[in-house]
Amino acid sequence: MQKLGEFKLPHFFNYPPYFTLQPVREAREKQVQLWKELILDYCRTQKIFVIGLEEEFPLFSNSVIERTLSHEAREAFLSALVSEGHAEWLDKGHRKCLILWHRIQDWAEIILNFVKDNGFEHSVMTVEEIRSGIESRGTELHGIDRMILMRALKLLQQKGKLAIFKGTSADDEGVKFSV
Amino acid sequence: MADFFSKAEVTSSGRPVLLRSEVECHLLSSVDIESEDNHHFYPLKSGLLILTTHRLLWLPSSSSSSTSSAAAIPLHAISHIFSTKKSLKSMFHSPRIRFQVLVSPDGRLFDPASGSGSSSGSGSKSIVLTAVVRGKGDCDGFLGKLWESWRARAWECNETSGSGSGSGSGTGTSTATSGGLYSSDGSVRMVGVAGILRKEQEMWESTDKSLQDAFQDLNALMSKAKEMVMLAEKMRQKLLSGSSSQTSGANDEDMGSKEEMQDWLLSVGIISPVTKESAGALYHQQLSRQLADFVRTPLQRAGGMINLIDAYCLFNRARGTELISPDDMLQACSLWEKFDVPVMLRKFDSGVMVIQNKSHSDEEVFARIKGLVTKPEALRSGISPSDAAITLGIAPAMAKEHLLTAESKGLLCRDISPDGFRFYINLFPEIDPRDVYLLK
């Protein structure tokens, strides 16, 4: 089985047509579906939150069969992810894409569970602690993209579950939970 | 004296104006004309010497002084041409042409056209002129032609006819006749060497005349062509208005003649304006059948399918003359669906149009493609249009069309890479998203 680092690649990764954007409708739909899942899987396991279309992304090439996804194909698959809410374009030119293998609201759920599991219902923490503190290790929150975390926190703030405030140092913010 | 010579008319671009039936024979560049005793005129320096059937013309080149104007020496005024003496001295000199010309009493060149004096009887004085050829021209050749033209005496025949019409008399005798060549009734006598030359001259003249007549016809045709086009346009308009008015009073005879007119227009090459109605036009019908017959052999050779453009080229080449236009071809092919012919026109999604046998079955082709694409080699690296072409026995462009059609039916999928355009068997339906690690 082929691997990309520790990641196990599916067998159709070696099927050359997989890397050419298919024009026929049924084939295209299948192809897009397979790529969406592959991208999300890969990003989740590798903790990748942002994909730059013009950069080299290991998943987009297969050196064994010497094929690479064209820019058009990459944009097509990522746009499909955006349409179903699993990604967002970070710029108008569609050069950078934020990958949300968990949607923002799902991340919010995870944060709430994290808070409940650790008894932080009324605690105060810094944002940095949430994403890299000891408690987060082993959870999905560990190493989460800061941008995503902020948005999830803001969502929870809107729901009244917490309050975000500026911390003592200029670059860190704090959170007061009231779950 | 500048006006020693006869005046030669020149056009605004410097070309000499020729007399009627005067023809240029030869020319030399960088020629000086001098007289041996230098009394009669300033030497003409470095001009273009043109020999015609009637005259020697000297045209000043643009570099020579502006005072020189074009000069003419009627061949008639030449009384003798000297042959060149090849001597040691002449090898180092520029070649020279020496000839003797008659001089009229008033010191000017004898010019029969100006009517200064009558025939060869007067002008007892003569001087020798020399043309010095400083350019690179073929002097000997020029001299030879000069002899010929001088002996041919082309001006005589013209002067006969010219003065005859001018004076209005029908006898044809003129003051310019010379000696024994003409009998008393004015017809030319063929005697001696002069007679032979005369005969040749006449033959040449009659050819020239018939050529001119032919060109006259062409000119007449050109002027008529404009009228023809206008006539054809009028007919077109009539047809258009006739068909659109759709009067119920149009009887069969009218319709018949209208159809005839359409057919006639079509055969001449003018596209009928009423295209929908001309779908039944006889011309296209016949063409359609002829094409169906013709295309059978190429179809067989090409494996059952041939590109419309190729068929068009083959058909026109076979016809040789009366070539058909692409429009005609299209019309002819579209008519096939109305007849019972074994061929049909087919348009692919990509826009490519082909002629194929009605018996041709897509399914059969797909079966063969599938067989090709499931071979171990093809499973690994796919097939290219050329591979398919070899297997199917058809042209690569046709094969590609088949592959694309098979793709659209879900049989194949494409793989585009720097290696080219290849096709694989379509495995996407086989892939189960939940079992992606299972090797099938």
Side-chain angles (χ1 to χ4, degrees), chain B residues 56-134:
Chain B
L56 266 174
L57 298 168
W58 184 89
L59 302 178
S61 67
S62 44
S63 53
S64 54
S65 58
S66 52
T67 51
S68 323
S69 53
I73 303 167
L75 294 184
H76 188 89
I78 297 179
S79 52
H80 182 65
I81 303 177
F82 295 96
S83 32
T84 46
K85 292 175 289 197
K86 287 257 195 289
S87 67
L88 203 59
K89 204 163 76 163
S90 69
M91 287 209 327
F92 294 104
H93 283 174
S94 307
R96 282 158 158 71
I97 298 176
R98 292 168 70 233
F99 49 96
Q100 196 173 16
V101 290
L102 302 168
V103 177
S104 61
D106 58 355
R108 297 180 66 237
L109 188 65
F110 170 63
D111 187 351
S114 65
S116 60
S118 57
S119 62
S120 50
S122 77
S124 48
K125 265 184 66 180
S126 62
I127 62 165
V128 175
L129 297 179
T130 307
V132 184
V133 183
R134 298 197 193 278

Side-chain angles (χ1 to χ4, degrees), chain A residues 1 7-12 15-18 20-24 26-27 30-31 33-34 37 41 66-67, chain B residues 380 407-408 413-417 419 424-433 435-440:
Chain A
M1 179 151 339
F7 184 75
K8 280 191 280 195
L9 287 167
H11 63 83
F12 57 78
Y15 181 53
Y18 189 57
T20 303
L21 202 55
Q22 294 299 317
V24 176
E26 283 97 359
K30 193 61 169 294
Q31 183 187 31
Q33 186 193 10
L34 293 172
E37 288 175 16
D41 258 346
E66 289 173 344
R67 295 285 185 271
Chain B
R380 214 177 23 244
E407 182 195 28
S408 67
C413 44
R414 62 175 61 181
D415 164 46
I416 300 174
S417 73
D419 296 338
Y424 287 73
I425 185 143
N426 187 4
L427 292 176
F428 281 110
E430 314 272 310
I431 303 172
D432 185 351
D435 271 336
V436 290
Y437 300 107
L438 227 64
L439 277 163
K440 288 257 166 92

